[in-house]
Amino acid sequence: MTVKNAGIKLGFVVAEFNRDITYMMEIEAEEHAKFLGAEVTERLYVPGAYDMPLAIKKMLRDNKVDAVVTIGCVIEGATQHDEIVVQHAARKIIDLSLEFEKPVTLGISGPGMTRMEATERIEYGKRAVESAIKLVQRLA
């Protein structure tokens, strides 16, 4: 799989909210991209998952990447805020992928999880990298 992936350029959009967790997700995702032969060539940090669509759109418009990987973590709070954040971010992420005809993968864990559950799901970034690479290959 590595040889075919040479030259695939990935962009990462990473949420700073819950940074202790998104940092681990980001490191694991980047290591996995290297292992698979892809390269992270662009990276934008945003305050939270809700803020990702604008950064994704800029990255796609600049046309320097083959796919965008989102990395974020939304932990359950006392209200349904976490559900609203993830639902709206995911919807817009799908819209941008369709608009620009490039993969934008969902590496956002949550909603409805505790901090402990979030820590157990740091591989979501890794999964998003795999999805991005597979989609770039299959849509080429």
Side-chain angles (χ1 to χ4, degrees), residues 135-140:
L135 280 167
V136 168
Q137 290 173 335
R138 293 173 186 175
L139 296 174

Side-chain angles (χ1 to χ4, degrees), residues 17-18 20-21 73-77 81-82 86 109-116 118-119:
F17 204 79
N18 296 314
D20 57 321
I21 295 166
C73 170
V74 182
I75 294 174
E76 185 175 40
H81 181 74
D82 60 317
V86 175
S109 60
M113 62 181 185
T114 65
R115 181 165 290 281
M116 179 68 81
T119 303

Side-chain angles (χ1 to χ4, degrees), residues 12-32:
F12 277 14
V13 175
V14 183
E16 295 172 320
F17 204 79
N18 296 314
R19 186 64 180 142
D20 57 321
I21 295 166
T22 64
Y23 175 76
M24 292 187 293
M25 293 172 76
E26 179 184 6
I27 295 301
E28 191 169 306
E30 185 165 16
E31 287 175 359
H32 197 55

Side-chain angles (χ1 to χ4, degrees), residues 46-116:
V46 295
Y50 189 83
D51 308 300
M52 288 181 168
L54 184 59
I56 294 166
K57 187 168 187 169
K58 180 189 182 336
M59 200 174 278
L60 292 170
R61 190 178 35 215
D62 290 349
N63 204 27
K64 296 179 185 176
V65 296
D66 300 307
V68 175
V69 174
T70 62
I71 297 175
C73 170
V74 182
I75 294 174
E76 185 175 40
T79 66
Q80 293 180 334
H81 181 74
D82 60 317
E83 293 176 25
I84 293 167
V85 166
V86 175
Q87 185 177 56
H88 287 285
R91 178 71 248 166
K92 204 53 175 162
I93 288 166
I94 292 166
D95 291 345
L96 288 165
S97 182
L98 293 171
E99 178 184 343
F100 286 88
E101 297 182 354
K102 285 194 177 183
V104 182
T105 58
L106 189 64
I108 301 171
S109 60
M113 62 181 185
T114 65
R115 181 165 290 281
M116 179 68 81

